[in-house]
Amino acid sequence: MSFPGVQDTRPNWDEFMEGIWQRNPVFVMVLGMCPTLAVTVSAINSISMGLATTFVLAASCWLVSLMRKMIPKEVRIATYIVIIATFVTVTDYAIQAISLEMYEALGAYIQLIVANCLVLGRAEAHAARFPPMAALFNATGMGLGFTLGLVMIGGVREILGSGTLLGVPLFGADFQPWVVMVLPPGGFFVMGAWLLLFAIYRARKQRPDKPGIKPDAVKQAS
Amino acid sequence: MSSTTKVEIRSGPHIKGPRTVEQIMLNVVGSLMFVCAFFIYQYGISAAASICVITAACLLTEHFFVRLGGQSGTLSDWSATITGLLLALTLPPGFPLWMGVVAGFSAIALGKAIFGGIGHNVFNPALVGRAFVQAAFPTAIATYTPSFLPGRFTEFIPSTLALPLMTPADALTWLHDKQLDALAAATPLARWKFEGVLASSWDLATSLSGHMAVGPSPLLILLCGVYLATRRFMDWRIPVAVLGSAALAALALHAVYGSRYPDPSFMLFSGGLILGAVYMATDMATSPATPRGMWLYGALIGLLTVLIRYYGGLPEGIMYAILIGNAATPLIERISQPEAFGTAVKRREKEK
């Protein structure tokens, strides 16, 4: 089996970068929206959530890829879920051991990584068809892309919502917090703003000769 | 035209009239000028700065998005000006200017541009902007100062000039320093809700006497509304339905629990009910087009306003009532469609 357009199955840099830029899970594929909108109240929460997902993603994709010839096609989804759940349990206990505070801040969303469609999607669409090293590369890239997306949302929400970045005050004591940014609607606003910026960027790239963007180009890009 | 005796106005453009969007909008802006002048008379240079800065923020945002998205519509259609003026009138006069810029930007960006510009918006842009700052800065938006303060034409309310991103100065301390803290800084609605103090309806209607923390005079707004309605720049049914249903609901509650709920005149003249009913609920893009739909829509908004004011957490309810009414507009249009010419006969024949 081969991925359309990809002949070389050896791990390479493009495979890694794919998840960070061209097919970024948050801004391009728009996968895993539940943790993306729920835990990105601050940059540190976003980083923790992103790295936890990256670990689960990389480890389970590697294992799925190793076992890809042994897994019967009929029960593959169940098998992937068992593998993913194993690593989620490991992550869950690890975070609890490293920082109980963070564990409580992230709440149920650590356990819910098992239901993140990004992880299952990568196992099914990539790891099951490529050798372990390629799968590991791709999954790590995707995980870091997810982390990047989360941090881009969480950073903006933390700066506007609490006036800090990674806990460091940026504006002094008189800062007026934007209450809405730490509430759920803030997640939608910031996510939407980033998606809009990327849509504009892509539409611009398609028509470099035009100063303004024609409405059909925006529609195509989004 | 003189031979036509009775013409019923319906949505579909059957005959194109000479009236343009610009003409309608310009008349609305013209009538709003009187309301703004009264607001400045009440609150002095702080109100003037607030109106100018918020309107400028709306116009700049509109210009930016029109250029960026290739949307039809320009600044010269005056719609962004109306959004800015209305937004400024719904905010406290001492609202920090930088927050006003945030409100103006979100009004146009979230309320209008992302839906595709003029005529495509689902919600009233001014109220979207206000809802955003209500969620973002709940303290600043509830901080009113009394009207007709001495020296209002020479001195800014200190919160107006708060530095960008910084917490505004406390209005109560400022009033205390000026030895004016006997005056009520809370709005009459908030005073009724949280302290049980009822203001006189006539004072509320004229907004001229006393140092009440109120917006422009409801009577003046009604006059402007009568002008716009008689010139057919807006449909009279919507404000009548909003005010009528709010008055009826308030009357019913007053009749049942007279001790707990004030009489309908307080409901009508307090807060932004009349401003919302005349200028915001009637926004053409976000309200139903058929007469039956307009009655339903207005009645829904009036009833929701009373419910939110009496039973909700916030003292004022007209903003969310109109936004919910805007959201319900497509549904209202679906159930209020008039029968097309000839189909009623066919249906009756079929039933036989």
Side-chain angles (χ1 to χ4, degrees):
Chain A
M1 273 201 274
S2 78
F3 220 43
V6 182
Q7 274 84 42
D8 192 1
T9 56
R10 281 173 306 169
N12 59 43
W13 191 242
D14 287 347
E15 196 110 312
F16 183 78
M17 286 307 288
E18 185 191 67
I20 292 180
W21 187 245
Q22 292 95 325
R23 302 181 65 194
N24 186 294
V26 177
F27 297 123
V28 182
M29 300 203 286
V30 199
L31 290 176
M33 281 301 102
C34 185
T36 303
L37 295 168
V39 303
T40 53
V41 178
S42 66
I44 192 76
N45 280 11
S46 309
I47 291 174
S48 315
M49 186 68 209
L51 291 183
T53 312
T54 307
F55 170 72
V56 173
L57 190 60
S60 38
C61 281
W62 177 74
L63 198 60
V64 165
S65 175
L66 261 186
M67 297 172 64
R68 68 188 188 282
K69 291 184 181 135
M70 286 185 266
I71 300 172
K73 216 180 164 191
E74 292 76 13
V75 294
R76 67 188 193 287
I77 301 289
T79 318
Y80 299 158
I81 290 291
V82 170
I83 292 172
I84 296 164
T86 311
F87 288 109
V88 169
T89 312
V90 171
T91 319
D92 190 52
Y93 285 142
I95 292 184
Q96 212 169 347
I98 296 165
S99 163
L100 196 60
E101 204 181 321
M102 183 52 65
Y103 182 78
E104 271 156 13
L106 296 180
Y109 293 98
I110 292 288
Q111 288 96 313
L112 282 175
I113 295 175
V114 75
N116 192 328
C117 45
L118 170 67
V119 185
L120 188 63
R122 281 293 94 188
E124 167 79 0
H126 194 278
R129 304 162 187 215
F130 287 85
M133 279 321 278
L136 186 64
F137 249 65
N138 182 278
T140 313
M142 282 286 169
L144 291 179
F146 186 68
T147 312
L148 182 74
L150 256 56
V151 171
M152 281 165 77
I153 296 173
V156 174
R157 287 181 73 183
E158 190 183 343
I159 291 173
L160 292 178
S162 345
T164 58
L165 188 59
L166 293 168
V168 182
L170 297 178
F171 303 104
D174 265 351
F175 179 76
Q176 166 74 48
W178 300 30
V179 180
V180 69
M181 283 302 163
V182 293
L183 297 176
F188 286 96
F189 285 137
V190 177
M191 174 83 197
W194 278 121
L195 284 178
L196 181 69
L197 282 179
F198 283 117
I200 292 169
Y201 170 77
R202 255 174 285 146
R204 285 255 152 132
K205 227 169 91 178
Q206 280 172 355
R207 293 174 173 236
D209 51 320
K210 296 272 161 58
I213 301 165
K214 294 286 169 282
D216 55 304
V218 176
K219 203 179 277 175
Q220 217 171 21
S222 58
Chain B
M1 278 302 281
S2 58
S3 62
T4 324
T5 47
K6 198 177 174 190
V7 178
E8 193 169 347
I9 299 192
R10 283 289 158 87
S11 64
H14 306 297
I15 303 165
K16 193 180 179 305
R19 192 163 272 180
T20 59
V21 173
E22 288 77 16
Q23 206 186 345
I24 298 174
M25 297 291 180
L26 197 58
N27 270 279
V28 177
V29 171
S31 69
L32 271 175
M33 278 300 134
F34 294 100
V35 184
C36 288
F38 192 92
F39 194 50
I40 295 171
Y41 172 56
Q42 279 176 303
Y43 292 103
I45 49 174
S46 291
S50 169
I51 290 172
C52 295
V53 168
I54 292 175
T55 309
C58 284
L59 288 170
L60 279 175
T61 314
E62 172 92 346
H63 181 66
F64 172 72
F65 277 104
V66 165
R67 246 195 103 218
L68 187 79
Q71 285 168 356
S72 61
T74 54
L75 295 187
S76 60
D77 67 22
W78 294 98
S79 61
T81 315
I82 294 181
T83 302
L85 294 176
L86 285 176
L87 181 57
L89 289 173
T90 62
L91 293 170
F95 200 60
L97 294 178
W98 73 266
M99 292 183 190
V101 173
V102 173
F105 176 82
S106 31
I108 298 291
L110 294 175
K112 194 169 168 193
I114 57 169
F115 292 110
I118 183 171
H120 298 281
N121 47 316
V122 181
F123 298 102
N124 183 306
L127 288 178
V128 172
R130 192 184 190 280
F132 185 85
V133 285
Q134 167 85 59
F137 313 115
T139 325
I141 207 168
T143 309
Y144 271 82
T145 45
S147 58
F148 301 115
L149 287 178
R152 62 185 184 280
F153 290 109
T154 49
E155 190 189 358
F156 282 103
I157 300 169
S159 54
T160 301
L161 300 174
L163 291 173
L165 296 176
M166 296 300 150
T167 311
D170 187 23
L172 287 179
T173 328
W174 175 68
L175 285 175
H176 183 75
D177 289 345
K178 298 189 77 178
Q179 302 184 343
L180 291 167
D181 44 356
L183 304 176
T187 63
L189 268 174
R191 292 195 74 199
W192 170 73
K193 183 150 194 158
F194 302 123
E195 299 163 31
V197 182
L198 203 57
S200 128
S201 299
W202 179 246
D203 288 352
L204 286 173
T206 60
S207 297
L208 276 171
S209 54
H211 297 276
M212 284 192 299
V214 288
S217 161
L219 284 184
L220 178 67
I221 298 169
L222 275 181
L223 267 180
C224 295
V226 168
Y227 164 75
L228 290 176
T230 46
R231 296 281 316 270
R232 302 287 172 95
F233 289 118
M234 69 174 200
D235 203 292
W236 58 275
R237 292 179 185 88
I238 294 174
V240 169
V242 173
L243 300 177
S245 95
L248 277 181
L251 185 67
L253 285 168
H254 180 64
V256 182
Y257 304 105
S259 55
R260 202 188 304 169
Y261 300 115
D263 64 302
S265 62
F266 179 76
M267 170 57 65
L268 285 183
F269 293 123
S270 59
L273 181 64
I274 288 187
L275 183 69
V278 171
Y279 280 105
M280 298 183 194
T282 50
D283 180 357
M284 291 177 185
T286 59
S287 60
T290 60
R292 200 152 35 127
M294 287 178 191
W295 286 115
L296 268 173
Y297 165 84
L300 175 72
I301 292 175
L303 181 67
L304 282 173
T305 309
V306 175
L307 289 181
I308 298 174
R309 279 186 181 180
Y310 283 178
Y311 302 106
L314 290 169
E316 176 59 298
I318 181 72
M319 170 178 78
Y320 289 120
I322 294 178
L323 288 173
I324 295 170
N326 291 161
T329 294
L331 300 173
I332 292 172
E333 296 226 291
R334 192 183 294 175
I335 59 169
S336 66
Q337 280 303 315
E339 273 177 317
F341 183 69
T343 52
V345 182
K346 267 187 203 157
R347 183 168 51 85
R348 248 175 273 139
E349 277 169 2
K350 219 183 228 174
E351 277 166 10
K352 275 174 196 169

